[in-house]
Amino acid sequence: MEVKDANAALLSNFEVFQLLTDLKQQRKESGKNKQSSGQQNLNTIMYETLKYISKTPCRYQSPETVRDFLIAMKGHKLTKAEKLQLLNHRPVTAVEIQLMVEESEERLTEEQIESLLQTVTSILPGDPEEQQRDLAMATDDKGDQA
Amino acid sequence: MFVLVEMTDTVRIPPWQFERKLNESIAEELNKKLANKVVYNVGLCICLYDITKLEDSYIFPGDGASHTKVHFRYVVFHPFLDEILIGQIKSCSQDGVHVSIGFFDDIVIPPESLQQPAKFDEAEQVWVWEYETEEGAHDLYMDIGEEIRFRVVDETFVDTSPTGPSSAEASTSNTTEEVQKKEAPYTLVGSISEPGLGLLSWWTNS
C-alpha cells in the first residue's frame, strides 16, 4: 500500500457526516447478506464517529448553508483552517473566535469580531430548541419592559 | 479534523466473489483493511471516500483470485496543529488529563498545559483548577464525563508493526522498563492553558 498524498483535502465535519449517513443507508438497503466478521471495524468506527458528529452543530447544516457561509466569509480574510474551524464549531462568543483565529487582536477590531459572530450565528443554524428558548426569553423581556 | 488521503493499493478478490460488481467488492475489501486502523504518519482511517482509478485486474499462477491496483481516497482523522477540538474527559492521573472523542481515545493533556495553577486531588483522583478572584480561590474540578475544549499541540506516531525474531535483542535494550505491549500507534497531546479552553461549563455566559 502506498500513500500518494497524505493531505489531499480538508473535510468539514458536515461532509463526513453526510458521507457516513449515506454509507449507513446504503448498507442497510443492501441487506445483511454480507459476512459481518470483517465489517466489524467499519461498523464500530462509523457508529462512534456518527455519534460524535451528531453532537456538534454540523447536524443542522446543509450544502447550501455551507456555501452561503463560505461566500460570506470571503470578506473577512481568514485562512482555510480558520474558516473550517468556525464552520465546525459555530462559536457564539468572542473568546472562542480568539481561539480559532490566529492573532485575532492584531487582525480584527472589536466590531469586526462582532460582525463575524453575527455572520456565523445567522448563517449557520444552531440548535433549534435553544434558538426558540432565546426567542422566548427575548419576547418575555420585551413584555416586562412594556 | 478530517482529511482526505490519496492512496493506492493492490486488492485481492477471491473467486467466489467474482459475481459481485468489482467496485463493490473492492470498496468492501478496502474498508475491511483500513477502517478504524491507524496508518503510520497519516492518521486514523475512517471510511472510503471514493475510488478514483481502477487498473487492469490480473490473475497470477497458483492463485485463483484477481489482483487489482486501485487508486482511491480515504477519509482520515488527522487534526492539524493548533486545531481546537471538543472531547470528553475519560480519566485523570498524575501524568495529566485523558480525553476521548468517542472514536479516538489517546489524547492526553499534560499537567503543565492545564490552566495554571492546577493541583491533583488525590482523594477524588481528579485535576483541579484553582481559579483566583478577588473573593477568594474557587476550585474548579475536572470531573469525568465533562465536555472539554482543548487545542492540539503535538502528535506522535509509533510504528507498531511486529519486529522480527532477529531484532529481539535490540527491542529489549530499547525498553528499560516493563514492556508495554499495547502502545498506542497514534497519540495527541493537548493544551487548555488559554482563555476559552477547558471545561465548556467554565466559559458559558448563560
Side-chain angles (χ1 to χ4, degrees):
Chain A
M1 192 179 79
E2 212 189 302
V3 176
K4 286 278 174 216
D5 187 354
N7 233 314
L10 287 172
L11 288 173
S12 70
N13 288 7
F14 170 66
E15 288 173 284
V16 178
F17 180 63
Q18 255 191 334
L19 184 73
L20 289 175
T21 28
D22 288 346
L23 190 63
K24 197 165 94 166
Q25 198 59 27
Q26 250 177 26
R27 298 184 74 214
K28 222 191 268 187
E29 279 166 16
S30 70
K32 297 197 171 96
N33 46 7
K34 299 200 180 101
Q35 75 270 60
S36 50
S37 52
Q39 304 285 339
Q40 198 42 45
N41 267 329
L42 180 63
N43 292 341
T44 313
I45 192 77
M46 266 177 56
Y47 169 70
E48 293 284 354
T49 313
L50 230 40
K51 198 164 88 166
Y52 174 75
I53 299 187
S54 310
K55 289 192 291 189
T56 66
C58 308
R59 65 190 184 286
Y60 306 118
Q61 291 172 0
S62 71
E64 293 78 34
T65 54
V66 177
R67 196 174 46 236
D68 293 339
F69 177 75
L70 288 174
I71 295 175
M73 284 290 126
K74 265 193 193 163
H76 292 272
K77 283 193 273 184
L78 298 170
T79 67
K80 209 191 249 190
E82 290 163 356
K83 285 188 274 195
L84 183 64
Q85 285 194 86
L86 294 177
L87 181 62
N88 283 342
H89 287 271
R90 193 180 179 264
V92 293
T93 59
V95 173
E96 293 173 67
I97 300 261
Q98 280 173 346
L99 281 177
M100 295 177 197
V101 177
E102 260 180 80
E103 294 171 13
S104 53
E105 300 96 49
E106 287 142 33
R107 283 161 63 191
L108 302 170
T109 63
E110 269 200 42
E111 294 123 22
Q112 282 177 316
I113 294 187
E114 260 310 308
S115 86
L116 194 58
L117 275 172
Q118 275 291 21
T119 326
V120 168
T121 40
S122 58
I123 298 189
L124 295 180
D127 191 353
E129 287 173 1
E130 233 179 69
Q131 285 177 333
Q132 276 199 355
R133 240 185 296 141
D134 289 343
L135 265 176
M137 280 197 329
T139 47
D140 276 348
D141 288 340
K142 285 205 192 116
D144 289 342
Q145 283 170 1
Chain B
M1 206 187 305
F2 298 103
V3 289
L4 216 52
V5 179
E6 286 176 7
M7 302 197 238
T8 58
D9 196 9
T10 309
V11 176
R12 177 183 183 270
I13 307 288
W16 51 88
Q17 288 186 15
F18 282 175
E19 57 177 359
R20 298 175 61 194
K21 279 198 145 122
L22 184 63
N23 286 40
E24 280 175 23
S25 307
I26 290 192
E28 194 182 308
E29 282 300 312
L30 288 174
N31 275 328
K32 219 189 273 191
K33 178 172 179 177
L34 291 173
N36 206 15
K37 303 253 171 75
V38 171
V39 176
Y40 187 59
N41 281 341
V42 169
L44 173 69
C45 297
I46 308 285
C47 73
L48 181 72
Y49 185 75
D50 63 3
I51 298 177
T52 44
K53 185 168 157 195
L54 282 177
E55 295 187 18
D56 292 336
S57 307
Y58 293 95
I59 296 185
F60 296 115
D63 185 6
S66 76
H67 298 254
T68 320
K69 185 157 180 199
V70 190
H71 299 247
F72 58 97
R73 294 190 289 189
Y74 219 86
V75 178
V76 175
F77 169 70
H78 189 192
F80 50 86
L81 198 62
D82 289 342
E83 184 171 354
I84 305 288
L85 293 177
I86 298 185
Q88 274 198 332
I89 297 186
K90 199 174 59 168
S91 65
C92 288
S93 73
Q94 287 288 2
D95 36 66
V97 179
H98 300 268
V99 182
S100 151
I101 312 187
F103 56 92
F104 185 73
D105 278 352
D106 302 306
I107 304 170
V108 72
I109 304 179
E112 51 273 10
S113 310
L114 296 173
Q115 295 271 13
Q116 297 301 332
K119 73 166 190 282
F120 187 59
D121 186 335
E122 292 287 344
E124 309 213 5
Q125 291 284 303
V126 284
W127 281 94
V128 186
W129 179 27
E130 294 162 318
Y131 180 55
E132 302 239 345
T133 59
E134 297 88 46
E135 294 121 33
H138 293 273
D139 271 357
L140 296 171
Y141 281 79
M142 301 176 69
D143 296 318
I144 297 187
E146 288 285 343
E147 299 228 317
I148 182 171
R149 189 185 289 133
F150 61 97
R151 190 190 285 280
V152 175
V153 291
D154 195 18
E155 63 183 19
T156 321
F157 283 102
V158 177
D159 193 5
T160 51
S161 34
T163 51
S166 52
S167 47
E169 251 187 83
S171 62
T172 45
S173 59
N174 280 349
T175 53
T176 45
E177 51 199 6
E178 260 306 308
V179 175
Q180 284 174 334
K181 297 222 170 108
K182 291 216 166 160
E183 218 190 318
Y186 180 34
T187 40
L188 290 176
V189 177
S191 153
I192 54 168
S193 57
E194 287 167 59
L197 296 179
L199 259 56
L200 295 187
S201 51
W202 294 348
W203 303 100
T204 48
N205 307 344
S206 51

